[in-house]
Every structure is written in structure tokens, then in C-alpha cells.
């Protein structure tokens, strides 16, 4: 299982100088590409005085060590505070490396789940020019960094560094929920309900919002959540800021019911004429027309009438006609679904 068996003395004498040169070259390239003041520097005793004067260690020093094990770092920090920091990576005989195995300390920069503003890739070897001990100055932001060893076969050497806001942000975000949709007379949502979550944080800023439906596992909220299954429902929700503060879970409850069937049937409407009549059946003095409409589905929205071929108007009370002569009253009704009956008279 040892991916790097110890070399014999003859092969070691031929390989050590090229490996050391490769380690130095890799570190110089990493330093040149780093966007932050992250110039890695050796800390061997012969150069310590000059390097300390040129670039003293930051007040916050974070140290990683490695040895013969290619499944895990021997030691690594788990938390830090936002701001300047000195990262120390040592892979030497002093940290347990007896085989000359190389390791790297590499920070993830391509996964959006982690901070990507620190670009560090240090190759350390017990036989390199610095005895396997290197340092680099960086500026850490609130959030989570992922680090790992980039040498093939060393995938188990990985971990997370959680950085808080330096103690300035200890307050969790606020998060609210709004439920929208068409409701019936009881307050239940017809067909579906949509839950919109809104979070705010005045300190380090909102990092993520999460929700859980009906007691399930929390997932990341990225857009309003629509629930269309009939029944009682709850949506639990919480938010976390970039300093790692998470709000207490809250929840909103609501009911979804089946929407009413589609109404495609027009109302029924009838007319009744009343008044005193003579022997010929004509109305004496006046006649009153009363309209009655009914709809068993969406319900009647309006009744309209027109006198003697005129324009339709809203019917609200019986219509009395007292002008002598022949008259016609046309009428119709419309339900709340927009269905209108055929005109009658």
C-alpha cells in the first residue's frame, strides 16, 4: 500500500537534486501567479533573519504538517479569523517524513462551494532547498476554504478551513417567507401555493438560504418553491451568513386543495311579466318585467337586459314599462367563468 517506497542510496543520490529543484520551481511559479501578497518563503535558519526582515510573519499563523502517510496530513488547522495570515507547510524529517515522500498544500479555487480568493499550491520535500518547510502570506475572507494534496494517489489528504468574520459578525441573518396563490373562501390554496423566501444580513452577508418541505431534509433555496399536492403542508426555512451564523429554523403552514372543475356552462335566465291586463291580454297602464338567473357551477356574475332593441344594460331590479305600444325585453346572463347565455326575449 506504500505508494512511495524508500529509494536505495544510489538512486537517491541521483534523484534528490532534481526533486529539490522541481520543488523550488513549483513554488516560485505558484508565488508568481498568486493574486494576494502570497510570496512563499523558506524558513530555514540560514535565511530566517533576512526573510523575517523582508516579510515578517503575520500575527495569525496557520500550520500544516505532513509525513510518510499519504492518506492524511499529520496536522492541520480547522478554523481561522478573516484577515492577514501566514500559512506554514512543513513536510520534513522533523514532522515524520522518513521516506522522502513529496506532498503539496493546495487550496481549491474552482469549486463555487468554497472560497476561491486564495491561490496556494506549495510542493514540499524533505530534501528540497528549504528542508521541506515553506511559508506564504495570504488574506483570508469569511467562509470556507478547501485544501488538499494534489499529488496523484494522495486524495485522502484533504480538509476544510472555516474562517469567521473576525468576531465582528455574531448575528444570524433574518429570513421571511411569503405564500401566494389563489385561495378559496376557507383560505386554502386552489391547485397550488408558492413559497418565496427572503433573507438579509447586515454583517458579513447572506451565504445561503435553505428550506425543507413537510419535515424532509434541508436543501438549498434558489427560487420560489411551488407545492401542488393537495393536503396540509409546512415549509421550514433558515439562512446562514458568511461568518457561519445560522438563523433558528422557522416554518410556514398552508393547505392546498383541488381546484374547482372548469365551468363551461352558461347560466339559465327566465323572465316574468306582471301587471293588470284587459280582455285582449294587453297590460293596462304598465307592465313589469322580472328577470331571474341561476348558475350551479361558478355562480352568476351579472344579468343584462335591452328594451325594444336598445343597448344592453345591467339588470338590478324589475323593469317597469309604461309607454303604450308593443314592447320587447331581451335578456341574458353571464357566470363568473365568463359563460354568457344566448339572448332571449
Amino acid at each position: 500500500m506504500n505508494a512511495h517506497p524508500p529509494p536505495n542510496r544510489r538512486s537517491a543520490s541521483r534523484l534528490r537534486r532534481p526533486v529539490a529543484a522541481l520543488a523550488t520551481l513549483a513554488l516560485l511559479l505558484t508565488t508568481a501567479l498568486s493574486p494576494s501578497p502570497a510570496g512563499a518563503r523558506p524558513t530555514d535558519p540560514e535565511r530566517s533573519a533576512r526573510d523575517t526582515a523582508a516579510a515578517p510573519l503575520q500575527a495569525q499563523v496557520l500550520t500544516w504538517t505532513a509525513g510518510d502517510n499519504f492518506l492524511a496530513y499529520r496536522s492541520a488547522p480547522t478554523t481561522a479569523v478573516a484577515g492577514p495570515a501566514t500559512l506554514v507547510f512543513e513536510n520534513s524529517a522533523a514532522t515524520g517524513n522518513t521516506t522522502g515522500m513529496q506532498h503539496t498544500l493546495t487550496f481549491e479555487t474552482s469549486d463555487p462551494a468554497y472560497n476561491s480568493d486564495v491561490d496556494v499550491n506549495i510542493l514540499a520535500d524533505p530534501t528540497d532547498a528549504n528542508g521541506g518547510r515553506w511559508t506564504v502570506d495570504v488574506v483570508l475572507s469569511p467562509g470556507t476554504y478547501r485544501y488538499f494534496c494534489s499529488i496523484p494517489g494522495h486524495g485522502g489528504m484533504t480538509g476544510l478551513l472555516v474562517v469567521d468574520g473576525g468576531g465582528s459578525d455574531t448575528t444570524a441573518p433574518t429570513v421571511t417567507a411569503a405564500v401566494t396563490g389563489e385561495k378559496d373562501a376557507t383560505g386554502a390554496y386552489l391547485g397550488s401555493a408558492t413559497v418565496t423566501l427572503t433573507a438579509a444580513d447586515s454583517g458579513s452577508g447572506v451565504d445561503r438560504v435553505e428550506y425543507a418541505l413537510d419535515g424532509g431534509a434541508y436543501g438549498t433555496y434558489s427560487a420560489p418553491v411551488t407545492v401542488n399536492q393537495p393536503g396540509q403542508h409546512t415549509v421550514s426555512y433558515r439562512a446562514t451568513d458568511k461568518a457561519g451564523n445560522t438563523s433558528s429554523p422557522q416554518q410556514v403552514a398552508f393547505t392546498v386543495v383541488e381546484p374547482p372543475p372548469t365551468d363551461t356552462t352558461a347560466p339559465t335566465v327566465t323572465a316574468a311579466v306582471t301587471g293588470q291586463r284587459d280582455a285582449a291580454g294587453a297590460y293596462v297602464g304598465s307592465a313589469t318585467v322580472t328577470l331571474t338567473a341561476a348558475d350551479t357551477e361558478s355562480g352568476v356574475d351579472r344579468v343584462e337586459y335591452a328594451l325594444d332593441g336598445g343597448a344592453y344594460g345591467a339588470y338590478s331590479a324589475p323593469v317597469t314599462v309604461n309607454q303604450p305600444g308593443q314592447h320587447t325585453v331581451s335578456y341574458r346572463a353571464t357566470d363568473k367563468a365568463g359563460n354568457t347565455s344566448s339572448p332571449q326575449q
Side-chain angles (χ1 to χ4, degrees), residues 68-96:
D68 291 338
N69 190 347
F70 58 89
L71 299 178
Y73 290 95
R74 287 180 61 89
S75 67
T78 57
T79 60
V81 177
T86 295
L87 310 186
V88 178
F89 179 43
E90 183 171 0
N91 176 35
S92 68
T95 60

Side-chain angles (χ1 to χ4, degrees), residues 7-81:
N8 59 43
R9 290 184 178 179
R10 179 172 299 175
S11 61
S13 64
R14 291 198 302 267
L15 293 176
R16 281 180 179 172
R17 281 193 296 274
V19 167
L22 176 61
T24 304
L25 176 59
L27 183 58
L28 291 175
L29 289 174
T30 300
T31 303
L33 295 174
S34 176
S36 58
R41 59 183 185 274
T43 57
D44 58 294
E46 295 180 2
R47 302 171 65 180
S48 61
R50 184 185 68 218
D51 293 332
T52 300
L57 294 178
Q58 302 291 346
Q60 182 178 207
V61 179
L62 307 173
T63 302
W64 284 257
T65 63
D68 291 338
N69 190 347
F70 58 89
L71 299 178
Y73 290 95
R74 287 180 61 89
S75 67
T78 57
T79 60
V81 177

Side-chain angles (χ1 to χ4, degrees), residues 282-288 307-308 319-329:
Y283 290 90
V284 178
S286 66
T288 299
L307 177 61
D308 296 333
V319 178
T320 298
V321 181
N322 53 22
Q323 293 294 319
Q326 292 283 340
H327 298 284
T328 58
V329 172

Side-chain angles (χ1 to χ4, degrees), residues 189-219:
Y189 290 88
L190 297 172
S192 66
T194 298
V195 181
T196 302
L197 303 179
T198 304
D201 188 88
S202 59
S204 58
V206 176
D207 179 60
R208 64 185 181 277
V209 179
E210 299 169 295
Y211 76 97
L213 176 61
D214 297 332
Y218 275 93

